[in-house]
Structure formats: structure tokens, C-alpha cells
Amino acid sequence: MDQLHCIRNFVAVVDAGGFAGASRKLNLSPASVTRAVAELESHLGVSLLTRTTRVVRVTDAGARYVEDCRRILA
């Protein structure tokens, strides 16, 4: 797992408000963005996003982690 790649995908999903927008921004397929975020969640052992059919929301843990990720990427 390329953790930096997964972090970039996670931040893009949060910024775009969903997987489709993040995939367009990153020029990747929605499935690859979804897999990268799922790998990151599995690696960390925590759910970063709450997914429904209509919306993707950041969990409390995800909100804290995305701030750390932004500092890493900067």
C-alpha cells in the first residue's frame, strides 16, 4: 500500500464531498479512489467516512485525520 497515494485520495474525497468528484479531480476511476480510501481505513483500523447512497460524510476521526493529512501533503 502506498500510504501517500491513499492519503491524497482521502483528502480529495473530503474536499470534493464525494468519490465521483475526487475521481474527476485526480483523473482516476471512482473504483480506484474508493479502494484507496478503503485500504487507508483498513490500515488505520478506523472508519474515516460514513457512506450512504446519497452522501459521503466525514467521521469525527476522519475530520481529525484529514487535518494531519493536509499538513503532511503541504
Side-chain angles (χ1 to χ4, degrees), residues 16-71:
F19 289 94
S23 68
R24 284 190 296 272
K25 178 181 174 183
L26 297 169
N27 293 324
L28 298 171
S29 70
S32 67
V33 174
T34 301
R35 275 192 305 271
V37 173
E39 277 185 44
L40 185 61
E41 289 177 322
S42 176
H43 176 73
L44 297 172
V46 67
S47 178
L48 301 172
L49 301 169
T50 301
R51 302 157 179 86
T52 66
T53 56
R54 298 187 184 266
V55 70
V56 174
R57 290 198 175 109
V58 182
T59 63
D60 291 337
R64 288 189 302 270
Y65 189 64
V66 77
E67 295 307 317
D68 294 336
C69 291
R70 290 183 202 284
R71 283 192 292 273

